[in-house]
Amino acid sequence: ISQWLKKPDSLKKNLPRQQRTPMRLALALLIQHPKSLQEIQKPLLKDVSELYPEPLGLLIQNLQENPNLITANLVEYFQNTNYYDVFNKLAVFDHQIQEEQRASTLIQIFEFLMKQSLNDEIDNLILKLKQGGLDDEAKQRLQDLLQKRQIQKT
């Protein structure tokens, strides 16, 4: 213990570093700063919740139904779920996002996650097409997704 008191950085070296992913960052921001959700348009929240129902959608739904929750309430709410340990860690995750950038960062992350999901679905359908073909419904779905992606680029 005395060596850590002399060298506070030595303690940090022994702790595992949490990976910084878009999903983890979004969850951390919402858990630590629940009021940030109120600055995001409901259609975007609905879309991202449908694409990622757990745990992001659950967290968004909980915050929409209970807008006055604080970090401790959120972690406690998920206490008897598989997300408790993760949310507990994210409650103290050092996201390094300034207050004035939180809502815009969440919007950017949500838009990124939606584009990523769109691209993943396109890639999966193209792979199925190459491997053995698609039925008419899947072909139409692929065409619709490709058009949607093209519109997003313009």
Side-chain angles (χ1 to χ4, degrees):
I1 294 178
S2 63
Q3 69 188 32
W4 289 341
L5 293 175
K6 292 178 186 175
K7 300 177 185 176
D9 289 337
S10 65
L11 179 60
K12 291 181 184 177
K13 291 177 187 174
N14 294 329
L15 293 175
R17 186 164 183 246
Q18 289 183 333
Q19 188 177 2
R20 188 179 171 108
T21 65
M23 181 63 76
R24 187 178 301 244
L25 182 56
L27 291 169
L29 285 168
L30 290 173
I31 292 167
Q32 293 178 28
H33 312 284
K35 298 271 187 233
S36 298
L37 189 75
Q38 297 172 3
E39 299 178 47
I40 301 172
Q41 295 180 1
K42 291 190 188 298
L44 179 58
L45 294 175
K46 181 180 180 281
D47 290 345
V48 79
S49 293
E50 288 174 358
L51 286 174
Y52 300 94
E54 290 188 18
L56 185 59
L58 286 174
L59 182 58
I60 289 171
Q61 179 184 356
N62 194 5
L63 288 171
Q64 287 177 322
E65 292 172 359
N66 307 291
N68 295 321
L69 290 179
I70 60 172
T71 301
N73 299 129
L74 288 169
V75 174
E76 183 181 342
Y77 179 83
F78 288 94
Q79 187 171 10
N80 295 320
T81 70
N82 295 334
Y83 305 115
Y84 177 73
D85 290 335
V86 173
F87 282 18
N88 207 20
K89 290 176 185 173
L90 292 174
V92 295
F93 180 73
D94 184 13
H95 54 71
Q96 301 176 354
I97 306 296
Q98 300 299 318
E99 182 177 352
E100 62 274 1
Q101 296 174 328
R102 289 180 194 144
S104 64
T105 299
L106 280 168
I107 291 168
Q108 289 172 1
I109 292 171
F110 292 163
E111 289 172 347
F112 169 81
L113 291 172
M114 290 174 56
K115 285 179 186 174
Q116 183 180 37
S117 177
L118 175 71
N119 288 331
D120 288 348
E121 189 173 356
I122 289 171
D123 291 345
N124 287 335
L125 287 170
I126 289 173
L127 181 63
K128 286 180 184 177
L129 180 64
K130 289 178 180 179
Q131 290 176 340
L134 297 173
D135 61 22
D136 290 339
E137 185 179 331
K139 286 179 183 175
Q140 183 61 47
R141 176 75 179 149
L142 177 58
Q143 186 176 10
D144 293 345
L145 292 171
L146 289 169
Q147 287 176 346
K148 185 175 180 178
R149 181 168 69 182
Q150 187 61 35
I151 291 169
Q152 287 180 352
K153 288 182 179 181
T154 57

